[in-house]
Structure formats: C-alpha cells, structure tokens
Amino acid sequence: MATQTSACTGSTLLQPISEIINLPLDQVNFVVSQLFALLTAVWFRLYLHPSKTSPFIRHVVATLLGFYLALFCFGWYALHFLVQSGLSYSIMVFASLEHMHKYCFIVALGYLSFCQITRVYVFDYGMYSADFTGPMMVITQKITSLAFEIHDGLAKREDQLSPSQKYLAVRRMPSLLEYLSYNCNFMGILAGPTCSYNDYMAFIEGTSYQPRHADNANGHENGKYRQSEPSPKISVISKLASCAVSLAVYLSLCQVIPVERSIDSAFVSSTPFHLQVVYLYVAMLALRPKYYFVWTLADAINNAAGFGFNGYNKDGSPRWDLVSNLRILDIEFATSFKTFLDNWNIQTALWLKRVCYERCPINPTGATFLLSAIWHGVYPGYYLTFLTGVTMTMAARAIRHNIRPHFLGSDRHKRIYDVITWAGTQVAISYTVVPFVLLAVGPSIKFYRSWYCCLHLLCLLLVLALPVKPRHLRPREPSPRLQSDGLQAPHAGGHAITDNNCNRKDKAT
C-alpha cells in the first residue's frame, strides 16, 4: 500500500497518483518535480537565452523556480536551505578573508550534521520520506567550494595556487542574488550535481560556449571557430533513455533481489559461500540503477537548460559532461577500486579532492574518507563503509604497485589481469558498501561475521606484506595526452587538464 501522507512534508496534490501507482508520495513529488524542471529547462534555454535577457533575470527566475520546487517537495523544511545559505553568506561578507573559508566550512557542514542528527535520531530513524537533507548535502558542497574559491582568488597570490585552483578562483565577492542562484537554482536544487561557481556564472552570462585557447583545433570550421551554440538535444534524449532503462531495471529487480537477504540466517546456512558472493554482487548490481536514474536525470535537466557543455570530441561532436555525476560503463567494468570511485558520484569526488585531499597536510586519504562519511550522514553504517574503504584503497594501491607490473609484458597477460581485477573490484565494492545499505551496526556486523571478515583480513595482510613507496620516490608515469584533454574542454582550460591529470595520478578518492 502507498505511504501515508503524514510521511511527506511537501505537497499532497499528487496523493491520488501515489495511491494508484503504489509509490510513496515523496518519491512521486520528487520525480514529478524533476520532470517539471526538465520541461522548464527547455523553456529557460529557448526563451530566457542570454542573448534575449539579462543575467539578472536569469538569476531571479532560476532562484524562484528552485525555491518553488523545494517547497513542493519538502514544505517548510525547505527553509533550512535558506538558513544554511544565509549563515554562510554572512560569514563570507563579514569575516576576514584569511579565515572565512574555514568558518564557512565548519558552519555549513555543522548545520548539515545538525539537521541529519535531528532527522535520524529525533524524528524517525531510517526515514527516507521527505529527506530534506539530500539537497542540503549538495548545497553544502557548493557553499564550501565557493568559500575556498573566493579565498584562493582574493587572499592568495598566483604562485600559491595550482593550475586548477587558478581557474576555479573567484576574483570578486558574489552578490546575494548570484549566491542564492548558484546554491538553489531549479536545475540542481533537488539532486544536484555540484558545479564550480565560475562555470555556473559562465552559463548564466552566456559565455560557456566561447573557446579560450587559440590553439584549439576542435569545434572550428575552415580555420575559424564555430560561433553557433551546439544543441544539447541528442545528449538529453540519450540520457533520458538511460534513465528509463535504469528505472525499469531497478523497479524490476530491487524487490526480487534485496541486499538484506545476505544476512538472513536461513539463506546463509543453506547457501554455499561462493553463491553468497555471487548473490551479493547481483543484489548490488540491482541497487545501483536507482542512483543512475536520479543522477542521469539531473544531468539531463542541466543539459536541457544549456548547462554542461564541455567542449568537442575529436570527431567534432559536442560533449555535455561538464557536470555529469557518473559514467555507467566505466563503473560496471571498473578493474580497480580507484577507477570505480573515480566514475561514481564524480562531482562529489572532485569536491572532496578540492576542499580536503589537496589541502590537508596530514594523512589526506584518511581525512578525505572521514569528511565523506560526515557529509553523508550519521548512520553508523556509513562510517563502517568508509573505514573499510580506507583499507580497500590501501590494499588496491599495494596490489597495483607490486603485482600489476608483472602482467604488462603482453596483451594476453594484461587481459588476464584485467579480468581478475574486475571480479575482485566488484566483490570488494559490494562487500564494502553493505553497511551503507543496511545503515545499522548490528546487521552490518552480522554480515561481516557471515563472511568471516575475510576481505578485511586480506586487505590488512596485503598492506603489511606489499610495500608501497612514498609518492615522491615513485617513478613518474608517462604523461597522458594533456593537449588532447585540454582541447576537449576549450572553455575549461587548465581546469580540465589538471583535474584529469589529478584523477589519473594523485586522487585517492
């Protein structure tokens, strides 16, 4: 039966539809709001184009529509978005530039944690209905990212910044309207994704299509840069098709293959261990399409509004992946723990790298996993997942540095290595995220016991047995085609080059 209306703090207008299709009202409100945002995005791109209206009007409309969707889905809980943004903006304006970014980081993350704690432990433990803290997580990323970007742009010298930080640095304090539009626009208020402030302002002002490098060979005709804007139609249609497939797979399999069966005593006692491993992999495979649907739909909404253009491919076709949050094929065929994480929730990984990993002087990998756990929420399962993730990352790094070189002598050996590491990665990921799904300590420990904590012990053994040289003593890998990466993102400049390079070499999350 459909969820009671009391579980939803937003609008009850769609309650009859919720009862007919037998889905909770808050989920119906969310999907309908996102579909409304998709149609609005098309109107926004066509009728409020930068050539037809001013940035002021575009900011106002994007902000008001965002607040409307938030009120429709979450009711008065949407006021938390304004409170969090207002407190952080006050700090940006009145605090000293030297420490402003630290204060914003503490206040924004602290307010998010306060809301998560009260929602989980005061109101309803395990309640997902009307979870207003989901949008707050994205707003927290935007607030903290912008605070660091303003600090880089106004309080640091050029020689103190990395190439990507130079591109992301904000050189003037945003107005209140610009700030609210960036945080709460209708394209990303419900499901994100996070984007840089400079990229968002370029979209609002209509400069995101302009090439910035004279040596750019992509996107030009007869030696002259193409001035017409690329259409996002093909990208939007393909992403909506992916959404439809993901939703169909999730609704078909999520109830048939629940993860919770992995800790059922009868299932564990009657199923051989190797079949338990296969079942866990399939159960996690059936769970991921839910995230594919939400993130791909959010990406399509941004593209439909004209946001997300990321240069041209080698064949001249436009790329619309600037704010994409995942690469599905790279996730499903990942051959390492790092590759999986690099292609899962991409914008959050970039946020963690930019605000924590690149700036933390002590144990940046551990600090990054800790920040990720705090940001996700207060369920104990989150912390068990990220603690396990630290050991998995260290073990995967040890395997890569000590074992992988022995398989690079021939293509056949490399294919064998890829098959083995693909299977190991999928099992390791499934094992790691079980507490993230189960949430509570008791069921999570019960699962680990049923597996005899085998992967924990194996990872610890690998870390102790296989030495990994410090980063500054490792031989440098041949540089990828930086020029090619840069050409594919003409409006991102060194930003794309640096992030791609960091993803391949330096990023641990």
Side-chain angles (χ1 to χ4, degrees):
M1 53 186 295
T3 303
Q4 299 295 321
T5 57
S6 59
C8 180
T9 59
S11 172
T12 58
L13 179 65
L14 302 177
Q15 179 63 29
I17 298 178
S18 171
E19 295 173 351
I20 291 173
I21 63 177
N22 196 31
L23 281 177
L25 178 58
D26 64 302
Q27 295 181 15
V28 174
N29 283 350
F30 173 84
V31 174
V32 170
S33 296
Q34 287 293 77
L35 294 177
F36 173 78
L38 179 66
L39 297 176
T40 305
V42 176
W43 169 83
F44 190 83
R45 180 173 61 88
L46 296 178
Y47 294 98
L48 292 183
H49 191 273
S51 63
K52 300 178 181 179
T53 187
S54 66
F56 175 82
I57 298 298
R58 285 166 62 84
H59 279 306
V60 170
V61 173
T63 305
L64 292 180
L65 287 173
F67 285 140
Y68 172 77
L69 293 179
L71 288 170
F72 184 84
C73 286
F74 306 109
W76 69 268
Y77 282 107
L79 293 177
H80 286 292
F81 307 163
L82 282 176
V83 173
Q84 185 187 32
S85 298
L87 289 174
S88 300
Y89 187 75
S90 299
I91 293 174
M92 289 182 182
V93 172
F94 296 109
S96 65
L97 286 174
E98 184 179 358
H99 302 291
M100 171 269 296
H101 59 300
K102 300 176 184 177
Y103 298 153
C104 281
F105 182 87
I106 294 172
V107 169
L109 193 63
Y111 193 86
L112 171 66
S113 298
F114 168 77
C115 291
Q116 289 172 330
I117 291 171
T118 55
R119 184 186 68 82
V120 171
Y121 294 110
V122 177
F123 295 108
D124 190 356
Y125 186 92
M127 180 186 74
Y128 283 98
S129 297
D131 184 5
F132 65 96
T133 61
M136 287 185 66
M137 294 166 70
V138 179
I139 294 175
T140 299
Q141 289 184 353
K142 293 183 176 180
I143 289 173
T144 52
S145 296
L146 180 55
F148 279 95
E149 290 162 5
I150 293 174
H151 176 74
D152 290 342
L154 299 180
K156 284 188 175 182
R157 301 188 310 272
E158 286 288 318
D159 58 355
Q160 295 178 304
L161 303 177
S162 67
S164 64
Q165 290 171 350
K166 290 179 183 178
Y167 169 77
L168 296 169
V170 176
R171 307 296 178 178
R172 67 173 181 84
M173 187 67 66
S175 68
L176 180 59
L177 175 60
E178 293 169 340
Y179 184 76
L180 291 177
S181 175
Y182 171 61
N183 285 342
C184 304
N185 63 79
F186 74 94
M187 302 172 296
I189 184 68
L190 298 182
T194 301
C195 61
S196 77
Y197 178 79
N198 284 341
D199 287 335
Y200 180 74
M201 290 300 295
F203 155 71
I204 290 293
E205 295 170 357
T207 61
S208 57
Y209 301 105
Q210 298 177 2
R212 297 188 179 181
H213 296 294
D215 58 345
N216 185 2
N218 285 323
H220 70 81
E221 298 173 352
N222 299 324
K224 295 182 179 180
Y225 286 112
R226 181 186 304 167
Q227 297 299 320
S228 60
E229 296 181 5
S231 172
K233 181 172 64 175
I234 296 178
S235 176
V236 171
I237 292 175
S238 65
K239 289 174 181 177
L240 290 179
S242 297
C243 288
V245 173
S246 298
L247 184 61
V249 171
Y250 174 70
L251 294 178
S252 301
L253 299 179
C254 66
Q255 300 296 330
V256 179
I257 315 175
V259 177
E260 289 76 12
R261 188 177 296 169
S262 296
I263 60 173
D264 181 72
S265 300
F267 174 81
V268 173
S269 60
S270 62
T271 306
F273 182 72
H274 68 280
L275 293 182
Q276 293 183 42
V277 174
V278 174
Y279 179 86
L280 180 64
Y281 165 69
V282 176
M284 289 300 177
L285 187 66
L287 191 63
R288 288 198 286 268
K290 175 176 68 173
Y291 299 95
Y292 296 166
F293 169 76
V294 173
W295 287 337
T296 305
L297 180 57
D299 194 10
I301 292 170
N302 282 270
N303 292 170
F307 186 34
F309 176 67
N310 199 22
Y312 295 91
N313 293 307
K314 293 180 179 180
D315 60 0
S317 60
R319 292 175 55 193
W320 289 90
D321 59 354
L322 179 65
V323 293
S324 296
N325 231 347
L326 66 143
R327 303 183 188 96
I328 297 177
L329 294 180
D330 291 337
I331 289 171
E332 298 301 340
F333 294 100
T335 57
S336 71
F337 204 82
K338 178 183 179 299
T339 301
F340 187 101
L341 296 180
D342 282 350
N343 294 286
W344 173 270
N345 206 352
I346 296 171
Q347 302 306 319
T348 295
L350 287 175
W351 170 69
L352 290 169
K353 177 173 74 76
R354 292 167 181 169
V355 304
C356 184
Y357 185 78
E358 291 182 340
R359 302 175 190 267
C360 183
I362 302 174
N363 192 9
T365 299
T368 302
F369 273 104
L370 177 61
L371 173 59
S372 183
I374 294 174
W375 175 79
H376 274 91
V378 293
Y379 288 112
Y382 295 164
Y383 292 85
L384 290 175
T385 288
F386 289 109
L387 285 174
T388 304
V390 172
T391 60
M392 291 289 180
T393 300
M394 296 172 64
R397 187 181 298 163
I399 291 174
R400 178 177 180 83
H401 284 277
N402 290 273
I403 297 178
R404 183 173 180 268
H406 299 291
F407 287 83
L408 299 180
S410 67
D411 291 339
R412 180 172 177 271
H413 290 165
K414 187 177 185 303
R415 284 195 292 269
I416 294 174
Y417 176 85
D418 288 341
V419 171
I420 295 174
T421 52
W422 172 82
T425 297
Q426 299 303 321
V427 173
I429 288 290
S430 301
Y431 178 90
T432 300
V433 301
V434 166
F436 198 96
V437 177
L438 300 179
L439 300 179
V441 174
S444 301
I445 298 300
K446 184 177 181 180
F447 167 76
Y448 285 147
R449 284 179 179 173
S450 69
W451 280 53
Y452 306 102
C453 296
C454 58
L455 292 192
H456 282 93
L457 297 175
L458 178 61
C459 288
L460 290 175
L461 180 62
L462 289 173
V463 171
L464 294 175
L466 301 177
V468 177
K469 294 181 180 180
R471 187 176 303 277
H472 66 280
L473 296 179
R474 301 176 199 165
R476 286 190 174 274
E477 297 180 7
S479 178
R481 299 179 187 176
L482 298 182
Q483 185 179 5
S484 173
D485 288 340
L487 294 181
Q488 290 176 348
H491 80 281
H495 163 57
I497 296 175
T498 305
D499 278 341
N500 288 336
N501 206 23
C502 289
N503 285 341
R504 294 187 180 96
K505 293 183 180 179
D506 300 329
K507 196 174 66 164
T509 64

